[in-house]
Amino acid sequence: MPAKTRQSPRPPRSIRLTGEAAKMKAAIQHYLKYKLARDEESATARDWWIATATAIRDRILERMLETQTAHRRRNVRRVNYLSMEYLMGRLTLNNLISLGLHEPTVAALHDLGHDFDTVRAAEEDMGLGNGGLGRLAACFLDSLATLDLPAVGYGIHYEFGLFKQEFVHGHQVEHPDNWIVFGAPWEIVRPEWKQEVRLFGRCEQVFDDRGQFKWRWVDAKTIIGFPYDIPIAGYGTRTVNILRLWASKATEEFDLKTFNEGGYVEAVKEKAFGETISKVLYPNDRTENGKELRLVQQYFFVACSLRDIIRRHFSVAGNNWGNFAAQQVVQLNDTHPAVAITELMRILLDEEGMTSERAWGITTSVFAYTNHTLLPEALEKWSVPLFQRVLPRHLLLLYDINQRLMEAAEAKWPGDHEKKRAVSLVEENGEKMVRMGHLAVAGSFSVNGVAELHTRLLRAQLFPEFDALYPGRFNNKTNGITPRRWLLASNPRLAALISRKIGDGWVRDLDQLHRLEKWADNPKFQDEFMAVKRANKADLAVLIHRECSVDVSPDAIFDVHVKRLHEYKRQHLNLLHILALYRRLVQSPDLDIAPRVFLFAAKAAPGYELAKAIIKSINAVAARVNADPRVNGKLKVAFLPNYRVSLATRIIPAADVSEQISTAGKEASGTGNMKLALNGALTIGTLDGANIEIRDEVGPENIFIFGQTVEGIAALRAQGYNPQQYYEQDEELRYVLDWLGSDYFVQGEPHNLPALVRASLLEGGDPFMVLADFRAYCDAQAQVDAAYRDRRRWARMAILNTARMGKFSSDRTIREYARDIWKLEPVPVR
């Protein structure tokens, strides 16, 4: 049973509440009684949170209705943002900050005898996203509303998030993330706007009433999409946009006749299938059924979303297909929603009876595509038989689009079959595969990367033929983060210190942080800045003890590696350096190094066995290190379980060092690097993703860069990269790899997973060149150690990192999208 939040004794009521605090108190009491049917004595923490959130939602809905009315009356141009995930985290604090009601709500709850932080801790993180892609989408929604830009986000209303992570004997164990089991007070269900989606079936040739040949999609299964709206409040404005999420339902949920005949399971078969589609975020696609469900999910949400966009467009008097592209732009957030291109073509051809030329003209004027990865496995390829089974009509449309593409390629490169193969929407090397990334590029008027290096590689390596075929289509929009979430809400101590120095204008204009530079050498300000950092570290130390049973000192370096677990992000490179430090310490206990806490937090995809082996290896090494008296407190390792937004907001403000050590050319941008630097952490990283632009902004003297460049990686591959060579030539590397591969860290366990990690780096060919960068990484870490010992130097570097992060606001990114791609103007709500 959830714990009650009543404190004993109740805090004294020092003043009589007035104004907004009094209104908020009355609203909380009202909803506690009339929505939840609870009295104040028996209410749990969750009850108090739901009552509080419902009171906050009332204020948001008032502004949301004003916003929607203003947009409808002005018939505004709007961006429709399609994303498979939105990593929203918890909304209570951010909504209060956006509305300017934080202090009144804290006062109202205090007067009712409750601590605000205790109450809001009852909120679950929304299980709508996984990693950087979803968190970026959430930051963008915040900036769109704050900048008064008309927008609707579209996605899936997952019943279960990715998973809740637990460690059992160091192994990752996944549990269902039933984030919505107790309800979500922010949501508004809109059954009147449900949409029907067809799947499977077959296509047959028919003639219309004008004697024209056409395709007809028949024998399809129909699914219903129910929309749930989450209001997104802008900061310092009355604009409230909408995130609309689709939940799947069956059209025939219950067969009474079958049930009465004893077929209890068969009676609800359709219901089970219908609800499966929006059941889980990213089902394991190692199996054929998993692949099918992934494709069905993607089509389901884009089909519902396009229908809704069209419904909204035609609900405004005077709108028609002639001005559809002038009023609507659809941004594809990565490749997952690319099937929307064929779906809009299907609607225009099969339902509206347009010519192919007109339909293609509208389609390619509506869609814009953001690519987020250079990794082949993330570019969405579907086997032709699978695509045909799930979406038979769309495969025919894709072939038509491909024919159009082949004609354009022939005109550009007459007789060059290799160029045609390169741009074809169907890959024919072995099993025929539909290339969804190619479809997204071919069907969009704009294609953007998310960091300068990423965009350059996108044009030069991933899509060079498309770049030549469509000059000017590719552009860069470097990612950004919202300072409202990642500094104002997450790090109130630092936010208050900054505002005392330069005012609070930085919350909407992050470039104002540059004004902090003049205090970077001021000893008093340095002491204040570092005191904030130490207080945050002390808070995190309490959390680490509670979650990991590891005692850490806030005076140690907090070296933080928090991100999705993937080989290219190279958590195992970090692990090898930890092993090197550990070995040095056990051989020389008096070794003079700054005490260091290595902190990890990450989830591995359930089917990604090597990533899970890396987690086990880190936990196994941590157990040994933390129990070894020879290290004398100089080295600690902790892996916090169940990484999520609410945990990130605890870790990031406390970080001293930000690990951004991906293989050069593999990380599209990264946003964790921005969040950590904004909060005064110093980056140790490769010249990859946005690290390059962070170096350019903060200065090369305020960042620790190491390792191979993109060009260096390419040269190593070209000459035949041999990890064995590095193993043999570097004695310390050889010792730590052999140590990891032995049973020293997993004695008595049936499976030696650390040995799998070692094997991937040697016999497995080290695909992400961990060994090639090991020595440079160790040298950079030695520079970190030296810099940290010089407290004045470190404080100056940390202050300048915070002061020079203005470029990396998502407000700047969204302004660039609005100006260059969406052609969108702000529409303030008065």
Side-chain angles (χ1 to χ4, degrees):
M1 180 176 292
K4 299 176 183 178
T5 67
R6 179 160 307 286
Q7 300 173 356
S8 181
R10 174 178 290 193
R13 302 181 185 184
S14 56
I15 59 172
R16 182 179 178 182
L17 293 183
T18 59
E20 293 294 349
K23 293 178 184 177
M24 187 59 68
K25 176 184 175 182
I28 293 169
Q29 290 175 308
H30 172 84
Y31 286 117
L32 190 69
K33 183 175 182 179
Y34 294 108
K35 177 182 174 67
L36 300 172
R38 300 301 290 263
D39 60 57
E40 295 185 24
E41 294 297 325
S42 65
T44 65
R46 184 177 293 110
D47 295 329
W48 284 104
W49 168 68
I50 291 174
T52 302
T54 307
I56 298 166
R57 194 186 77 163
D58 280 358
R59 306 297 186 89
I60 296 175
L61 292 184
E62 181 180 348
R63 297 186 184 190
M64 186 187 80
L65 293 172
E66 292 174 0
T67 302
Q68 299 308 306
T69 299
H71 290 176
R72 185 173 58 254
R73 287 176 177 173
R74 300 181 202 183
N75 195 18
V76 299
R77 177 172 170 81
R78 180 183 280 108
V79 62
N80 303 279
Y81 197 81
L82 270 58
S83 179
M84 277 292 285
E85 54 173 296
Y86 293 89
L87 199 58
M88 304 298 293
R90 300 171 179 174
L91 298 185
T92 302
L93 180 57
N94 280 81
N95 280 337
L96 286 172
I97 288 173
S98 293
L99 296 173
L101 292 174
H102 181 215
E103 291 183 5
T105 303
V106 171
L109 284 167
H110 182 271
D111 198 62
L112 288 163
H114 298 280
D115 174 67
F116 172 72
D117 288 331
T118 303
V119 169
R120 74 183 181 96
E123 181 177 11
E124 292 279 344
D125 283 52
M126 290 184 166
L128 302 172
N130 173 27
L133 180 74
R135 187 53 237 171
L136 181 79
C139 286
F140 279 8
L141 292 182
D142 174 273
S143 287
L144 283 161
T146 297
L147 297 175
D148 295 316
L149 293 168
V152 176
Y154 284 104
I156 295 180
H157 187 271
Y158 299 104
E159 182 180 344
F160 294 91
L162 186 68
F163 57 83
K164 285 189 174 180
Q165 180 192 57
E166 180 188 10
F167 296 138
V168 177
H169 304 300
H171 297 272
Q172 172 178 290
V173 176
E174 302 98 19
H175 300 289
D177 178 17
N178 194 358
W179 67 278
I180 205 168
V181 65
F182 295 107
W186 308 114
E187 295 180 344
I188 310 140
V189 62
R190 304 285 199 181
E192 68 275 19
W193 293 332
K194 66 179 184 290
Q195 300 294 341
E196 290 192 357
V197 176
R198 289 188 293 166
L199 296 161
F200 306 108
R202 59 186 177 84
C203 290
E204 63 181 18
Q205 298 177 348
V206 297
F207 287 87
D208 62 19
D209 54 9
R210 293 174 297 174
Q212 295 281 70
F213 164 81
K214 64 182 294 186
W215 287 100
R216 184 166 62 188
W217 189 3
V218 297
D219 299 333
K221 184 188 294 288
T222 302
I223 301 296
I224 303 294
F226 278 84
Y228 290 75
D229 288 353
I230 298 174
I232 307 295
Y235 175 85
T237 177
R238 293 195 67 82
T239 295
V240 175
N241 287 327
I242 292 171
L243 170 60
R244 182 158 290 167
L245 304 169
W246 300 98
S248 60
K249 304 287 183 183
T251 51
E252 298 179 8
E253 292 202 352
F254 185 71
D255 185 337
L256 181 60
K257 182 176 183 294
T258 302
F259 184 87
N260 286 333
E261 291 173 352
Y264 306 126
V265 174
E266 292 79 1
V268 293
K269 183 178 179 181
E270 290 302 312
K271 173 182 171 64
F273 172 78
E275 293 179 353
T276 296
I277 296 171
S278 59
K279 183 72 72 176
V280 178
L281 169 65
Y282 293 150
N284 190 340
D285 60 358
R286 289 284 180 110
T287 67
E288 193 65 20
N289 286 341
K291 290 183 174 68
E292 180 181 289
L293 181 55
R294 281 276 194 111
L295 178 56
V296 168
Q297 277 188 336
Q298 293 175 11
Y299 176 66
F300 165 76
F301 112 82
V302 302
C304 289
S305 302
L306 283 175
R307 286 287 189 187
D308 194 63
I309 293 165
I310 293 166
R311 177 195 63 78
R312 286 191 293 100
H313 178 74
F314 282 92
S315 70
V316 178
N319 277 355
N320 52 51
W321 285 113
N323 72 338
F324 185 76
Q327 298 303 109
Q328 308 293 338
V329 59
V330 178
Q331 186 71 40
L332 306 176
N333 189 33
D334 215 3
T335 314
H336 310 113
V339 71
I341 293 167
T342 51
E343 172 63 5
L344 183 57
M345 284 293 288
R346 187 194 67 78
I347 292 170
L348 297 178
L349 291 171
D350 296 358
E351 298 181 16
E352 300 298 324
M354 289 187 190
T355 64
S356 179
E357 285 301 319
R358 187 184 179 202
W360 187 241
I362 291 174
T363 298
T364 53
S365 299
V366 166
F367 288 104
Y369 166 48
T370 300
N371 174 278
H372 283 278
T373 183
L374 299 168
L375 296 177
E377 66 266 24
L379 283 175
E380 299 290 330
K381 293 180 183 179
W382 304 111
S383 72
V384 168
L386 170 62
F387 203 92
Q388 185 174 33
R389 182 169 71 252
V390 176
L391 299 171
R393 179 66 181 114
H394 297 73
L395 183 63
L396 296 175
L397 289 165
L398 186 134
Y399 286 153
D400 290 343
I401 295 169
N402 201 42
Q403 179 59 37
R404 186 184 297 272
L405 192 57
M406 292 300 98
E407 291 170 1
E410 176 63 26
K412 177 75 174 178
W413 304 291
D416 193 332
H417 297 297
E418 287 304 314
K419 286 289 193 294
K420 289 180 182 178
R421 269 193 282 270
V423 299
S424 175
L425 302 185
V426 181
E427 183 179 84
E428 301 192 30
N429 296 328
E431 183 181 17
K432 289 187 177 182
M433 304 290 287
V434 176
R435 296 162 156 172
M436 302 305 288
H438 283 48
L439 175 62
V441 174
S444 299
F445 66 86
S446 168
V447 179
N448 73 277
V450 292
E452 290 174 5
L453 173 64
H454 171 238
T455 301
R456 174 163 64 85
L457 296 177
L458 205 62
R459 298 176 65 183
Q461 294 183 9
L462 196 62
F463 296 124
E465 293 81 9
F466 280 108
D467 187 41
L469 193 59
Y470 302 123
R473 182 168 296 189
F474 288 81
N475 61 94
N476 179 61
K477 297 291 174 282
T478 297
N479 282 341
I481 58 172
T482 168
R484 272 78 62 182
R485 167 78 73 164
W486 294 109
L487 182 49
L488 183 61
S490 300
N491 198 344
R493 293 185 180 105
L494 183 56
L497 176 61
I498 292 170
S499 294
R500 286 199 300 272
K501 282 294 182 185
I502 65 172
D504 63 2
W506 60 270
V507 181
R508 285 181 62 95
D509 179 10
L510 202 60
D511 283 329
Q512 291 189 26
L513 290 182
H514 275 294
R515 294 162 57 194
L516 290 173
E517 290 189 34
K518 63 183 178 182
W519 282 288
D521 291 304
N522 182 289
K524 183 175 183 297
F525 185 70
Q526 288 182 348
D527 290 343
E528 290 178 300
F529 192 94
M530 296 310 294
V532 164
K533 179 66 72 174
R534 191 186 188 284
N536 292 337
K537 290 164 71 175
D539 288 348
L540 183 58
V542 174
L543 179 66
I544 292 170
H545 176 78
R546 186 175 73 235
E547 295 290 329
C548 304
S549 299
V550 178
D551 292 318
V552 300
S553 168
D555 295 315
I557 303 172
F558 276 30
D559 188 317
V560 168
H561 203 160
V562 289
K563 52 182 76 247
R564 183 166 54 91
L565 205 305
H566 196 288
E567 288 170 89
Y568 86 83
K569 296 177 184 288
R570 302 204 295 190
Q571 284 92 344
H572 46 344
L573 174 58
N574 191 343
L575 175 62
L576 293 182
H577 172 248
I578 292 169
L579 281 169
L581 279 183
Y582 182 36
R583 184 170 179 270
R584 295 172 198 172
L585 280 168
V586 297
Q587 292 186 345
S588 304
D590 295 329
L591 185 68
D592 185 20
I593 63 171
R596 185 90 67 115
V597 175
F598 288 94
L599 184 61
F600 294 86
K603 293 179 179 179
Y608 193 172
E609 295 303 330
L610 184 54
K612 295 169 82 169
I614 292 172
I615 288 178
K616 169 60 181 177
S617 300
I618 294 170
N619 281 324
V621 170
R624 276 282 191 172
V625 169
N626 297 334
D628 194 332
R630 294 173 294 178
V631 303
N632 196 27
K634 294 178 181 178
L635 180 62
K636 293 290 181 74
V637 183
F639 203 133
L640 283 166
N642 201 33
Y643 189 50
R644 58 202 185 280
V645 173
S646 58
L647 181 56
T649 61
R650 302 287 301 278
I651 297 172
I652 288 171
D656 291 309
V657 176
S658 165
E659 296 276 354
Q660 309 298 329
I661 60 176
S662 54
T663 310
K666 295 300 181 183
E667 186 73 81
S669 166
T671 54
N673 46 9
M674 302 171 190
K675 296 161 193 163
L676 285 152
L678 178 63
N679 283 272
L682 304 188
T683 301
I684 181 168
T686 52
L687 287 174
D688 193 28
N691 292 352
I692 298 170
E693 292 165 70
I694 290 175
R695 178 202 60 180
D696 294 343
E697 293 297 310
V698 305
E701 71 280 6
N702 297 310
I703 191 171
F704 302 94
I705 294 296
F706 75 93
Q708 296 288 340
T709 63
V710 169
E711 294 76 16
I713 293 288
L716 281 175
R717 293 198 194 284
Q719 69 190 30
Y721 175 61
N722 180 13
Q724 191 74 28
Q725 177 183 344
Y726 293 89
Y727 170 79
E728 293 171 355
Q729 293 178 355
D730 190 320
E731 181 182 33
E732 185 173 54
L733 174 60
R734 185 167 67 253
Y735 271 111
V736 298
L737 276 172
D738 290 347
W739 201 12
L740 180 66
S742 73
D743 66 352
Y744 180 81
F745 297 101
V746 289
Q747 291 178 13
E749 297 192 20
H751 302 291
N752 189 345
L753 293 183
L756 289 180
V757 177
R758 178 189 183 278
S760 75
L761 297 173
L762 291 173
E763 293 84 358
D766 188 17
F768 297 101
M769 300 199 176
V770 171
L771 305 193
D773 277 346
F774 171 78
R775 183 49 53 194
Y777 178 56
C778 290
D779 292 343
Q781 286 285 16
Q783 295 172 28
V784 170
D785 182 273
Y788 192 78
R789 294 164 186 257
D790 185 341
R791 304 303 291 153
R792 291 299 175 199
R793 179 190 172 197
W794 188 274
R796 182 180 190 276
M797 294 169 74
I799 292 166
L800 289 176
N801 266 263
T802 295
R804 294 174 177 176
M805 289 300 291
K807 171 181 176 176
F808 301 102
S809 169
S810 53
D811 296 348
R812 185 268 314 156
T813 311
I814 288 298
R815 285 193 185 97
E816 292 180 1
Y817 274 97
R819 180 193 67 210
D820 302 338
I821 298 175
W822 302 334
K823 310 302 180 187
L824 214 58
E825 295 294 330
V827 182
V829 178
R830 305 299 181 189

